[in-house]
Amino acid sequence: MGETDVVGQSYLARDASQILGSADLDTRNTALRAMADALLEHEDTILAANQNDIDAARADGTNENLIDRLMLDHDRLVDIAEALRELADLPDVLGEIVDERTIVDGIRMKQVRVPLGVVGMIYEARPNVTCDAAGIGVKTGNAMLLRGGSLARRSNAAIIDVLQGSLIKSGLPAQSVQAIDASDRSTATEMMGMRGLIDLLIPRGGAGLIASVVENSKVPVIETGIGNCHIYVEKTADLDMARAIVINAKCQRPSVCNAAESLLIDREIAENVLTILVPALVEKGVALAVDPRYIEFAKAQTSSDAMVREATEEDYGTEYLDLMMSVKIVEDVREAVDHINEFGSNHSEAIVTTDENAADYFTTHVDAAAVYVNASTRFTDGGLFGMGAEIGISTQKMHARGPFALKALTSTKFICHGAGQTRS
């Protein structure tokens, strides 16, 4: 796809956004429900396209954890459709009055929530993101330009074709949701340069992709960061609880950004925790990079020596997205927080403790979008936070932080009513 194609699509999106942004709530919600129904009606077509993507990815030697992020099946498609229906059930954010008062000379002012206009996304591997982004765009009145990864290009094309048909049947422009060709690397670069046509650009994927967009985009960016998430087992922790939380945070779905990548343990209980968690994690297939001071003790807890090695500084800063975990022994909650703030990615962090003072210190001083006390990091999710489908997890501090969905894709407009007032 050449430059004029991407530019042309952007102009079509701009036109579509004018219609979509002024559509009433019933029309937008009807479209969302039609989109959900259509995904299941065309399940065979979508899953066949997805299987072609999976086969091609495996033939290219793609890591199985990336395959998991790429894969769709009946249950995942049902969940995606349900997320669209949940979006339809949420209150409308458009037209929300943020502020209303009478200002100078009796002028009546309202600050009202409005769409951004055209939102572009550059993302990797996960076709469910295509559906979530399309749905959030429709709900918020924003036209979406979706540049998914090449691994999922067949899946994304099939999904967007189905969604566009639903939009047309609902009386909305098909160009409200468009796919940008992922087979040509230059299309992502072109999107980054379209200031004035694209109002916001959102990267979602690996560290390299995100850094490239943040560093090179002329379009304003909301940064979705990687997830180097930690679980800190503080000295007063209930060890049964700690075991359950660590296993869940690491193993329930290791290929996602809110999975835990690093385990921090208070030195006072280090041997007790390692005795419990090393064999439990190894049994789940998790390889461990352990604090060198405790490597021999950790190895003694399992017969699978190959699953335990010394940790390096690089390990502490790595998002594995795999059955791998670093282990660091710390003196206390202060050292745990310092370690997280040095090596973490500002995503999701957790402490397991029965000490309220330790919990308060942790939640106050850890620099992260989501902080948990006695719960798994796997809960950082727009749907679980009651926001409906999400665009991503923002790890920046401006405009949006944490799971961001509807309100993060709006701006505000000041509407002022007067009776002939002029400023002297």
Side-chain angles (χ1 to χ4, degrees), residues 14 19 37 40 76 117 128 156 184 271 319 344 353 359:
R14 176 67 62 189
I19 299 170
D37 292 342
L40 299 181
R76 288 187 180 183
N128 66 295
N156 289 335
D184 186 344
E271 293 189 357
E319 181 190 35
T353 184

Side-chain angles (χ1 to χ4, degrees), residues 144-212:
M144 305 297 294
L145 293 174
L146 303 176
R147 203 274 189 192
S150 59
L151 283 179
R153 62 183 180 275
R154 300 171 187 86
S155 305
N156 289 335
I159 288 168
I160 288 178
D161 184 59
V162 168
L163 298 183
Q164 286 182 332
S166 301
L167 288 168
I168 292 170
K169 290 179 182 178
S170 303
L172 294 172
Q175 292 78 17
S176 300
V177 178
Q178 299 180 66
I180 300 295
D181 184 11
S183 64
D184 186 344
R185 289 178 179 269
S186 69
T187 56
T189 302
E190 289 168 33
M191 291 177 73
M192 295 180 212
M194 293 203 177
R195 188 178 184 92
L197 281 177
I198 298 177
D199 296 291
L200 176 70
L201 197 56
I202 302 168
R204 179 168 171 173
L209 167 67
I210 294 166
S212 176

Side-chain angles (χ1 to χ4, degrees), residues 49-339:
N50 182 248
Q51 188 60 53
N52 287 335
D53 281 333
I54 291 171
D55 292 343
R58 285 203 169 110
D60 287 341
T62 302
N63 180 284
E64 282 299 315
N65 282 302
L66 273 179
I67 299 290
D68 177 64
R69 294 163 77 91
L70 171 63
M71 186 186 71
L72 293 174
D73 56 23
H74 172 74
D75 290 341
R76 288 187 180 183
L77 208 56
V78 167
D79 289 343
I80 290 167
E82 184 58 29
L84 292 174
R85 295 191 183 99
E86 289 173 359
L87 272 175
D89 292 337
L90 290 174
D92 195 8
V93 295
L94 298 185
E96 175 189 343
I97 298 174
V98 178
D99 189 12
E100 183 176 20
R101 50 200 159 92
T102 300
I103 59 171
V104 64
D105 290 343
I107 294 174
R108 292 180 291 115
M109 181 205 74
K110 287 194 298 185
Q111 184 183 10
V112 180
R113 199 171 293 282
V114 298
L116 290 171
V118 177
V119 176
M121 280 194 70
I122 301 173
Y123 55 103
E124 297 171 337
R126 296 174 66 176
N128 66 295
V129 174
T130 302
C131 298
D132 290 347
I136 291 171
V138 169
K139 184 74 175 190
T140 57
N142 291 293
M144 305 297 294
L145 293 174
L146 303 176
R147 203 274 189 192
S150 59
L151 283 179
R153 62 183 180 275
R154 300 171 187 86
S155 305
N156 289 335
I159 288 168
I160 288 178
D161 184 59
V162 168
L163 298 183
Q164 286 182 332
S166 301
L167 288 168
I168 292 170
K169 290 179 182 178
S170 303
L172 294 172
Q175 292 78 17
S176 300
V177 178
Q178 299 180 66
I180 300 295
D181 184 11
S183 64
D184 186 344
R185 289 178 179 269
S186 69
T187 56
T189 302
E190 289 168 33
M191 291 177 73
M192 295 180 212
M194 293 203 177
R195 188 178 184 92
L197 281 177
I198 298 177
D199 296 291
L200 176 70
L201 197 56
I202 302 168
R204 179 168 171 173
L209 167 67
I210 294 166
S212 176
V213 175
V214 170
E215 291 167 9
N216 297 304
S217 181
K218 297 179 182 177
V219 177
V221 173
I222 291 182
E223 179 179 353
T224 63
I226 63 170
N228 183 20
C229 306
H230 299 72
I231 306 289
Y232 167 48
V233 183
E234 192 267 340
K235 64 183 178 182
T236 68
D238 179 305
L239 297 190
D240 289 335
M241 178 188 292
R243 181 186 184 280
I245 288 173
V246 172
I247 294 295
N248 177 263
K250 178 70 259 181
C251 304
Q252 195 254 348
R253 196 174 177 194
S255 65
V256 294
C257 63
N258 59 15
E261 305 288 20
S262 188
L263 171 64
L264 305 183
I265 307 171
D266 196 294
R267 184 185 57 79
E268 190 171 319
I269 58 168
E271 293 189 357
N272 289 340
V273 175
L274 290 171
T275 300
I276 294 168
L277 279 176
V278 169
L281 286 165
V282 169
E283 183 182 350
K284 294 286 187 179
V286 179
L288 300 171
V290 178
D291 189 323
R293 297 170 297 173
Y294 284 79
I295 186 66
E296 295 305 324
F297 185 87
K299 284 186 174 183
Q301 307 313 308
T302 176
S303 58
S304 302
D305 281 357
M307 297 292 283
V308 182
R309 63 169 175 82
E310 283 194 11
T312 65
E313 290 288 292
E314 183 179 359
D315 283 307
Y316 296 139
T318 298
E319 181 190 35
Y320 298 110
L321 300 175
D322 204 347
L323 289 172
M324 182 76 200
M325 193 175 209
S326 66
V327 181
K328 173 73 172 179
I329 310 304
V330 296
E331 287 298 318
D332 54 24
V333 65
R334 286 169 175 77
E335 186 180 344
V337 168
D338 290 344
H339 179 91

